[in-house]
Amino acid sequence: MTPSLPDILVGNFLCVAEPPPPESAGEFMAGKVAVVALLSLLAAQEAERGPSARVWENATLRAVLLDAAPVYGEAFAEAAGAADGDFTLAALDRANATLRRALIALHEAVEAAGDTARDHAILRLYRDMAHARRLDMPPLPGR
């Protein structure tokens, strides 16, 4: 499971909203605060970069699917019609899931056909998609 940004923020809220029992003081509490702080930092990066990464990714996936449709079937053109909706993260992710499933099916067809050029283009796209969604780990204190 990949938690969504709202899931992470709600989890952080629940972690800090409830007073800890006395036995969780000390190192355990320090570790808990450090995890919440790290998740908050990563969530801030996702809030900043996430929507634009999804919009770019969805547009790029549509272009790849539409380009392949004449060769591999109109089903890929139909899949490219998945709309981004109201541009909330949830709506962008729903469209992205549809587009990614279609890309996976396309990639399977491309591999079966031995279409090396398109296969390499899809592999580069996977790399670029991962890069667009990267989150940077901060330097850890005391290291």
Side-chain angles (χ1 to χ4, degrees), residues 66-135:
L66 288 171
D67 182 60
V71 177
Y72 291 96
E74 286 305 308
F76 294 111
E78 291 171 21
D84 284 341
D86 59 8
F87 291 99
T88 61
L89 287 176
L92 291 168
D93 282 343
R94 277 191 299 277
N96 188 264
T98 299
L99 294 164
R100 281 177 178 241
R101 282 191 295 276
L103 180 66
I104 291 166
L106 173 62
H107 197 189
E108 289 171 345
V110 163
E111 287 179 330
D115 186 345
T116 305
R118 201 176 304 259
D119 180 43
H120 288 174
I122 291 171
L123 292 172
R124 284 189 302 275
L125 176 58
Y126 290 150
R127 180 202 59 209
D128 295 343
M129 288 167 34
H131 181 73
R133 290 191 180 223
R134 80 190 183 289
L135 297 175

Side-chain angles (χ1 to χ4, degrees), residues 30-78:
K32 183 176 176 179
V33 169
V35 168
V36 169
L38 177 60
L39 285 172
S40 295
L41 181 67
L42 295 175
Q45 289 179 44
E46 177 64 12
E48 176 66 24
R49 300 179 194 163
S52 66
R54 285 164 175 81
V55 169
W56 167 82
E57 191 173 297
N58 289 357
T60 303
L61 289 170
R62 284 185 190 96
V64 167
L65 294 170
L66 288 171
D67 182 60
V71 177
Y72 291 96
E74 286 305 308
F76 294 111
E78 291 171 21

